[in-house]
Structure formats: C-alpha cells, structure tokens
C-alpha cells in the first residue's frame, strides 16, 4: 500500500462552501417569528444573512430581533433616509447565493407573480441574479383561493422554488394547508439549492444504521451504530442531484428530503432489499454496520431465565457489500471500515478482499454514535487522510470524492436492459 498522504492533494477538489450569503425576506404574517429561527440556523452555519422586512412584517417581529441574530443591519424601506439612492438597496442581493422569503404572504406572492417593485423586498426579488425560494404562510382559504394558486403556479413556472406550505393547526384556529414549513426544512432546502449537482442523473443506493438479529421475540444482537453517517450520505447524494434509495436498519432518524427509504431490521432483510434494487444503481455505498453473525435459531417464544450458563449458537450473515462488489456488472462500490487499530493496513486489506473501488476507513472508537469523524480514503492509488469534521460535512466531501472517481456514464442506465 502506498504511504498515506496526510497533507497531500486529494483527487477531488475541496468541497466549495455551498452557502455563504443569503438574503432573508420576511413578510407580514404570524409565521414571521419562525424566520428568526431560520436566521439563527443560517448564522450558526457561518452564512452571512441580510434580512429585508416588509412594513407589515415589522408589526409581527421587530427589526431589532433580526439585527441581534445576524449582527447586520436590517433593511425595511426602499427610500430609507441616509441611503445615497435606491440603487444601494438593490446591492443587498448582489453576490448573494440565494434569496429566501419566509414567510411569504398571499399579498407578497401576488406582487411577486406580477413582477411588481413596490417595496424593497419585491424590488430585490425582481432585480436578483441568484435563485429565489419562497415559503408561503397564510390561512388555508387564502392558500386555496384560485388567485393564490394561479400566482403560485406562475411563480413555479418562472423558476421560483416553492417550499411548502405544510398542513396543520393555523394561528387563526383553523386546520389545513398554509402553515409555513419549519425553519430546518427551509435551511436544508437552501443548502441543497446551492450544492453542485455532481451526481445529477446518477442512482445511488445506500445502506445505513445497525441491524438487529433476533434471539427471541424481545431480545436480539445489535450494535452502537446510530445511522448518522449513512443518513448524512444519503442526504448529501440527494443534494448533489442523485436519485437516492436508502436501506436503513432500526433507527429513529428522520428520512432526508428526496430520499426513498426502505426500513429493514435484520442483515438478511437488508441483503434482500439491496439485492432486489442494486442492479439499477450506479453507486452502492455500504455504510450500515451489518451484523457479521446472527443467532442460528430465533426462538418463537421468549426464553426463560435458568440457573445455568446459556450458549447461543451464531452463524455468519451474508456480506452484502462483498456480494454486490464481486457480482456481475457491479456498480461503483464504496465500503466503510471501522477498525480499532492499524486502520489503514486492515482497511486496505478489506478493500482488496471485497474488491471495492473506494473504502472509507476510520477508528471504531471515534465513529460509532459520534457527530464528528476523521477518516482515511483508500483506493487503488493509495491513502488520503481527511481532517476531522462533522458527519454532514464529511458526507458532502465523500460525495465529491465519489463523483470525481465515477467512470463516465455508459449509454443507457444500469439495469435498464435487464
Ligand atoms: N458489510 C456488509 N454486509 C455485512 C458486513 C459488512 O455489507 N454482512 C459492509 C459494511 O456496510 C461496510 C463494510 O462491509 O461497508 C465493512 O464491514 P466490516 O464488518 O468491517 O468488514 P468485515 O469484512 O466483516 O471485517 P471485520 O472482521 O473487521 O468485521
């Protein structure tokens, strides 16, 4: 194996920071308070946030709230005293990666659909050079009114990204469509909007989480995998434009946006779910901590306690990744290896044994259940150590690395002819 290259160049370019500057437009509605949470999430992620409020928005939340959260002045008026001229205001959105209007009132959507420039926020949207996303929030009848639906259809046709609305309890006491989607969802959509689409047109299959091998109806053998890395990878692949299927072992993590999720419990179920789908995929990323052994017998009835020691016979499970990678017309296969010691040596042996294009090796003690991880990438050209980072940042980096290594697409999708 070649020497590791701790500081050496990696085969893929570094992940560009997807979201650096955002203009957050806030219009009049009770959901304006949720925009404060969105501003907080963006700032926490290192994004520069310039907030622009309509006059009505300031009746619900004060500009001071956003100024305190973002550390930047909040703009409210096209004709603000002290500004050299109105053109300065348009400069707020120059260089921004996105404008997001959350909440977007029915009135604002109507003005936007007509291309009006009758206040600062509408003017910025009209003069923008970046993507625009809106998160509608209004009473359910206002939302379902044909006029609003017409405006929304027009905005979608104009390339504006619509986030929601969601359904549920409304501030007016009614229940129905029109609730603003949660701040976290808007944040995730904004990041996805600006991530380079390096996997556009590709199909990616991911396994994630632990497996659970039953001993009896209430007991079993499992492991400490949280599923965080696999879920982050599925999310990062979807953000990069891939069609993503994730086969997940038992975990309560929420499904990432745009990812098709197949829930399984045991290694055998995970194997069946993967083998049934893998032929149609270009990439297989096996992140799951699959049990290597399962009890030879899963008792139908709960075992009773006895005085003497108990022995449970175990039998090996199928190695899903190795079976896929050594099968006919394998996809680009990526494995994960958690080793307690000699990470790179054992990792490279595992990569060769399982015939993997890429293996992501890490220390088991660092990875399981943690929010951060430091890994070494092993491929035919050697080892590349990546710095410690949070699992989502690592997932995005791994997607860039995978995309850079993928062979050019053959004509027709994998599996189309089968
Ligand atoms: N894997 C799999 N199916 C299994 C076991 C493992 O798909 N039954 C995949 C994992 O998802 C991971 C990789 O294989 O991507 C490494 O698994 P690991 O259990 O560390 O490898 P082993 O060959 O079982 O080696 P070890 O002796 O270290 O457990």
């Amino acid at each position: 194996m070649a020497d590791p290259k701790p500081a050496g160049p990696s085969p893929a370019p570094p992940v560009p920071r997807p979201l650096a500057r955002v203009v957050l437009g806030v219009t009049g509605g009770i959901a304006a308070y949720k925009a404060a949470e969105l501003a907080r999430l963006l700032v926490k992620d290192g994004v520069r946030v310039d907030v622009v409020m309509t006059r009505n928005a300031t009746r619900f939340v004060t500009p001071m709230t956003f100024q305190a959260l973002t550390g930047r002045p909040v703009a409210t008026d096209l004709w603000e005293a002290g500004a050299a001229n109105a053109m300065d205001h348009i400069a707020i959105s120059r260089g921004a990666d996105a404008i997001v209007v959350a909440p977007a009132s029915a009135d604002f959507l109507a003005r936007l659909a007509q291309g009006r420039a009758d206040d600062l926020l509408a003017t910025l949207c009209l003069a923008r050079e970046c993507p625009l996303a809106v998160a509608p929030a209004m009473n359910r009848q206002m939302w379902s009114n044909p006029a609003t639906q017409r405006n929304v259809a027009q905005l979608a046709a104009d390339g504006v990204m619509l986030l929601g609305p969601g359904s549920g309890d409304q501030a007016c006491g009614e229940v129905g469509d029109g609730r603003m989607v949660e701040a976290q969802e808007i944040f995730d959509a904004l990041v996805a909007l600006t991530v380079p689409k390096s996997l556009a047109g590709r199909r990616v299959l991911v396994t994630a989480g632990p497996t659970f091998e039953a001993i009896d109806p209430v007991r079993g053998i499992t492991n400490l995998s949280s599923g965080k890395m696999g879920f982050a990878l599925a999310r990062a692949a979807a953000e990069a434009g891939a069609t993503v299927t994730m086969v997940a072992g038992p975990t309560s993590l929420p499904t990432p946006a745009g990812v098709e999720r197949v829930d399984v419990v045991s290694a055998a179920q995970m194997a069946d779910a993967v083998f049934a789908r893998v032929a149609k995929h270009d990439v297989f990323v096996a992140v799951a901590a699959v049990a290597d052994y399962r009890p030879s017998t899963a008792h139908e009835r709960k075992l009773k306690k006895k005085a003497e020691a108990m022995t449970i016979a175990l039998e090996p499970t199928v190695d899903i990744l190795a079976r896929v990678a050594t099968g006919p017309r394998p996809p680009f296969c990526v494995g994960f290896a958690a080793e307690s010691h000699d990470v790179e040596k054992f990792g490279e042996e595992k990569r060769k044994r399982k015939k993997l294009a890429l293996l992501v090796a890490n220390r088991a003690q660092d990875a399981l259940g943690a929010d951060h991880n430091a890994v070494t990438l092993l491929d035919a050209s050697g080892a590349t150590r990546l710095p410690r980072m949070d699992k989502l940042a690592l997932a995005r980096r791994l997607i860039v690395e995978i995309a850079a290594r993928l062979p050019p697409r053959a004509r027709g999708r994998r599996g189309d002819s089968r």
Side-chain angles (χ1 to χ4, degrees):
M1 186 173 80
D3 285 341
K5 302 168 281 190
S10 98
V15 185
R17 180 161 188 79
L19 204 56
R21 278 191 56 197
V22 164
V23 173
L24 169 58
V26 185
T27 73
I30 184 60
Y33 80 91
K34 288 194 194 172
E37 172 64 3
L38 176 58
R40 194 189 66 79
L41 287 173
L42 288 162
V43 169
K44 195 171 142 222
D45 199 51
V47 180
R48 184 180 124 182
V49 183
D50 287 303
V51 176
V52 178
M53 302 176 76
T54 62
R55 187 188 299 271
N56 283 342
T58 63
R59 297 173 192 264
F60 291 91
V61 184
T62 69
M64 184 56 73
T65 303
F66 290 104
Q67 194 173 317
L69 285 168
T70 63
R72 299 189 51 78
V74 173
T76 55
D77 189 355
L78 190 55
W79 309 106
E80 207 162 38
N85 59 54
M87 300 309 286
D88 273 5
H89 289 81
I90 293 176
I92 294 172
S93 61
R94 291 281 177 264
D97 299 303
I99 300 177
V100 57
V101 182
S105 65
D107 174 67
F108 187 76
L109 294 178
R111 289 193 284 129
L112 200 58
Q114 291 198 355
R116 298 183 66 134
D118 45 8
D119 69 3
L120 176 57
L121 185 56
T123 306
L124 288 180
C125 290
L126 198 60
R128 75 182 184 279
E129 294 171 317
C130 58
L132 169 63
V134 294
M138 65 198 72
N139 160 274
R140 68 182 174 88
Q141 275 156 336
M142 292 170 85
W143 173 252
S144 60
N145 188 295
T148 303
Q149 290 303 309
R150 230 177 12 248
N151 292 332
V152 166
Q154 184 60 57
L155 290 171
D158 292 346
V160 175
M161 187 189 211
L162 281 156
L163 306 173
S167 193
D169 292 339
Q170 301 207 307
C172 55
E174 296 181 7
V175 180
D177 290 344
R179 268 170 71 99
M180 188 170 103
V181 290
E182 296 305 321
Q184 183 69 52
E185 206 175 312
I186 299 172
F187 174 82
D188 292 346
L190 283 178
V191 172
L193 190 70
T194 48
V195 165
K197 304 297 173 220
S198 58
L199 290 180
R202 305 281 195 168
R203 285 173 174 253
V204 176
L205 181 64
V206 178
T207 62
T211 62
F212 180 91
E213 310 303 325
I215 295 171
D216 70 12
V218 295
R219 304 183 182 92
I221 299 174
T222 186
N223 58 65
L224 290 177
S225 167
S226 62
K228 285 178 197 161
M229 192 67 233
F231 276 58
L233 245 149
R235 171 176 163 180
E239 285 175 0
T243 303
V244 184
T245 306
M246 176 177 63
V247 180
T251 155
S252 53
L253 293 176
T255 310
V259 170
E260 187 200 348
R261 174 175 181 165
V262 181
D263 282 311
V264 295
V265 175
S266 65
Q269 289 171 354
M270 187 172 275
D272 287 347
V274 167
F275 299 154
R277 291 169 176 80
V278 73
K280 285 207 155 75
H281 289 80
D282 305 292
V283 181
F284 177 48
V285 192
V287 197
V290 187
D292 288 329
Y293 296 93
R294 67 173 181 201
S296 306
T297 310
H299 294 273
E300 272 179 33
R301 295 186 174 188
K302 188 177 166 215
L303 295 176
K304 287 293 177 198
K305 185 166 57 184
K306 292 190 185 132
E308 61 269 26
M310 174 188 276
T311 303
I312 299 175
L314 301 176
E315 64 185 22
T317 57
V318 55
D319 189 322
I320 304 169
L321 176 59
R323 176 81 68 87
V324 169
T326 54
R329 296 184 67 212
F332 184 88
C333 285
V334 183
F336 273 67
E339 308 287 352
S340 59
H341 58 284
D342 290 324
V343 172
E344 283 158 24
K345 177 172 166 284
F346 287 134
E348 181 57 11
E349 281 170 17
K350 199 170 285 184
R351 188 186 77 78
K352 287 200 175 121
R353 189 172 71 246
K354 297 199 186 194
K355 296 197 176 359
L356 307 178
L358 179 65
L359 186 117
V360 183
N362 57 199
R363 279 167 28 100
Q365 320 70 307
D366 294 345
L368 283 178
D371 288 326
H372 292 73
N373 200 0
V375 303
T376 301
L377 305 182
L378 301 167
D379 68 6
S381 66
T384 308
R385 286 183 200 149
L386 299 185
R388 187 177 149 78
M389 55 185 114
D390 73 69
K391 285 184 173 173
L392 183 57
L394 176 58
R396 291 190 179 127
R397 172 64 186 257
L398 290 176
I399 290 301
V400 172
E401 299 281 350
I402 291 169
R405 288 171 170 82
L406 275 184
R409 213 158 346 158
R411 292 243 302 277
R413 196 185 294 292
R414 275 179 49 84
D416 279 357
S417 57
R418 296 180 183 189

